[in-house]
């Protein structure tokens, strides 16, 4: 006899774990399915987190998610790792298929997160202090520093200009030369004192903070350039993992995120989405945790009133 869950959560990043904690708190039979061997999502890649409320002393990604996993399991949520959701069927009863089993629930919370793409940085050693992937997450560490921003999107340009107000020196490496840098954009960068480095790709980051060295390689000639800096900020496009969801008829924006209303409801009844799969603007841990919590409360109301 198959168990009927009240809520199944797809993904055990901070969004899915927060949703799991609250869903179990509300007394709902809750299952969290995670494709990776370890729960935690991209937080596992964060070495030092300085922006999570309640941890002024800083915390590693591993430690923070270990606490969230513990709290979710203590609250009564079941967590299955190494279970990638490969198919969804979202009629009144939701059917969730993994490579190992099939599960059923009244409501679904999608918290499948996002990945970073477009970083063709072969041979680079992007691990260690002095390399950041998110300005908002590291702003206190970035102020009054020499910064090199790497990125080929409009967001990278915006970040470089923003940083020019708070950093001592900002350089922007437009590594794939993909922005059709109109004269206006270039002038704006210049006006704000941002030095633009075109046609180079990041090769490696060396040294200990605050004395980092970024090695760049020219796209065509293979010439190497070594730049001294304090912080390398990598701005890469964030792309939500939504292919399984789309196949199940869940609507997404052109940019890729699941379309949700203020309660996290998707276009399919009983299916909710939260965190970075629903908005790349929410792609920081505190926002994801808040979003997962809100959506769990809305899913709880749905389960208690509608089923
Ligand atoms: C190197 C790095 C450093 C960072 N540092 C910080 C920081 O200091 N502070 C900060 O606030 N933010 C930081 N971030 C951003 C933060 O990690 C993300 O905002 C956050 O993890 C997003 O949470 P999420 O739960 O929405 O998605 P994710 O963390 O991406 O988690 C989604 C989970 O869903 C799983 N999943 C996907 N598809 C399926 C499927 N089909 N079946 C089952 N499971 C599935 C994935 O395996 C993943 O575990 C950092 C990110 C990176 C990459």
């Amino acid at each position: 006899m198959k168990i009927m869950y009240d809520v199944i959560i797809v993904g055990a990043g901070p969004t899915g774990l927060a949703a799991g904690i609250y869903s179990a708190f509300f007394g709902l039979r809750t299952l969290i399915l995670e494709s990776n061997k370890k729960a935690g999502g991209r937080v596992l890649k964060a070495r030092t987190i300085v922006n999570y409320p309640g941890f002024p002393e800083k915390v590693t990604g591993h430690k923070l998610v270990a606490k969230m996993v513990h709290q979710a399991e203590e609250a009564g949520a079941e967590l299955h790792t190494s279970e990638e959701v490969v198919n969804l069927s979202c009629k009144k009863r939701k059917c969730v298929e993994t490579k190992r089993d099939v599960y059923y629930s009244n409501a679904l919370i999608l918290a499948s997160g996002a990945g970073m793409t477009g970083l063709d940085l072969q041979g680079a050693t992007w691990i260690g202090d002095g390399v950041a992937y998110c300005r908002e997450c590291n702003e206190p560490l970035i102020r009054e520093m020499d910064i090199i921003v790497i990125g080929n999107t409009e967001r990278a340009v915006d970040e470089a200009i923003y940083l020019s107000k708070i950093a001592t020196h900002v350089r922007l490496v437009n590594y794939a030369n993909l922005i059709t840098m109109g004269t206006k954009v270039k002038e704006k960068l210049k006006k704000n004192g941002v030095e633009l480095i075109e046609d180079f790709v990041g090769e490696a980051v060396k040294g200990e903070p605050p004395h980092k060295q970024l090695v760049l390689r020219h796209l065509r000639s293979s010439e190497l350039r070594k730049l001294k800096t304090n912080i390398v900020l990598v701005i890469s496009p964030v792309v939500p993992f939504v292919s399984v969801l789309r196949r199940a008829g869940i609507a997404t924006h052109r940019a890729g995120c699941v379309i949700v209303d203020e309660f996290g409801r998707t276009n399919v009844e009983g299916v909710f989405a939260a965190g970075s799969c629903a908005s790349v603007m929410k792609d920081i841990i505190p926002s994801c945790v808040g979003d997962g919590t809100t959506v769990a409360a809305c899913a709880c109301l749905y389960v208690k009133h509608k089923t």
Side-chain angles (χ1 to χ4, degrees), residues 138-192:
N138 297 283
E139 193 155 326
L141 308 178
I142 279 175
R143 240 175 251 138
E144 305 292 319
M145 291 280 179
D146 181 295
I147 302 171
I148 301 179
V149 179
I150 301 189
N152 62 349
T153 57
E154 259 179 67
R155 211 183 114 223
V157 172
D158 290 345
E159 290 292 0
I161 291 173
Y162 179 98
L163 287 167
S164 68
K165 322 276 183 220
I166 60 167
T168 51
H169 182 210
V170 181
R171 282 166 281 182
L172 171 63
V173 178
N174 177 214
Y175 66 89
N177 212 16
L178 288 181
I179 313 171
T180 332
M181 284 250 190
T183 335
K184 270 194 182 157
V185 177
K186 287 190 180 178
E187 271 169 12
K188 204 169 167 194
L189 287 168
K190 200 172 165 193
K191 200 173 133 210
N192 285 281

Side-chain angles (χ1 to χ4, degrees), residues 90-108:
C90 302
K91 305 214 170 76
K92 188 162 186 287
R93 188 177 70 153
K94 318 298 177 223
C95 171
V96 180
E97 211 180 301
T98 70
K99 283 183 181 159
R100 215 191 289 161
D101 215 332
V102 180
Y103 303 92
Y104 299 94
S105 66
N106 288 314
L108 261 185

Side-chain angles (χ1 to χ4, degrees), residues 8 35 40 42 47 87 92 103 123 132 138 143 148 180 193 202 230 242 254 263 270-273 278 306:
I8 294 178
S35 54
R42 279 171 293 143
R47 271 192 56 182
N87 247 317
K92 188 162 186 287
Y103 303 92
N138 297 283
R143 240 175 251 138
I148 301 179
T180 332
N230 301 132
V242 288
R254 266 190 19 223
F263 304 105
V271 180
F272 300 79
K306 294 257 179 158

Side-chain angles (χ1 to χ4, degrees), residues 16-173:
L17 290 170
I21 291 168
Y22 278 89
S23 172
F25 268 3
F26 298 140
L28 301 182
R29 187 153 204 173
T30 305
L31 172 66
I32 310 172
L33 294 169
E34 167 56 50
S35 54
N36 284 336
K37 271 197 211 142
K38 220 170 158 33
R42 279 171 293 143
V43 179
L44 293 171
K45 293 185 182 161
R47 271 192 56 182
T48 318
I49 296 165
V50 295
N51 66 319
Y52 196 74
F55 289 86
E57 74 283 10
K58 298 173 194 167
V59 60
T60 64
H62 277 267
K63 254 198 188 147
L64 185 62
V65 287
K67 282 178 187 286
M68 290 184 192
V69 168
H70 178 69
Q71 204 173 357
E73 289 181 330
E74 280 283 294
E78 248 178 79
L79 169 63
H80 295 191
T81 51
S82 302
E83 281 230 52
E84 183 183 353
V85 173
V86 289
N87 247 317
L88 294 174
S89 159
C90 302
K91 305 214 170 76
K92 188 162 186 287
R93 188 177 70 153
K94 318 298 177 223
C95 171
V96 180
E97 211 180 301
T98 70
K99 283 183 181 159
R100 215 191 289 161
D101 215 332
V102 180
Y103 303 92
Y104 299 94
S105 66
N106 288 314
L108 261 185
I109 296 179
L110 310 171
S112 53
M116 288 170 159
T117 62
L119 279 188
D120 185 16
L121 298 169
Q122 287 172 14
T125 48
W126 295 106
I127 300 164
D129 295 333
V131 181
Y133 293 83
C134 160
R135 190 257 310 153
E136 298 96 317
C137 310
N138 297 283
E139 193 155 326
L141 308 178
I142 279 175
R143 240 175 251 138
E144 305 292 319
M145 291 280 179
D146 181 295
I147 302 171
I148 301 179
V149 179
I150 301 189
N152 62 349
T153 57
E154 259 179 67
R155 211 183 114 223
V157 172
D158 290 345
E159 290 292 0
I161 291 173
Y162 179 98
L163 287 167
S164 68
K165 322 276 183 220
I166 60 167
T168 51
H169 182 210
V170 181
R171 282 166 281 182
L172 171 63
V173 178

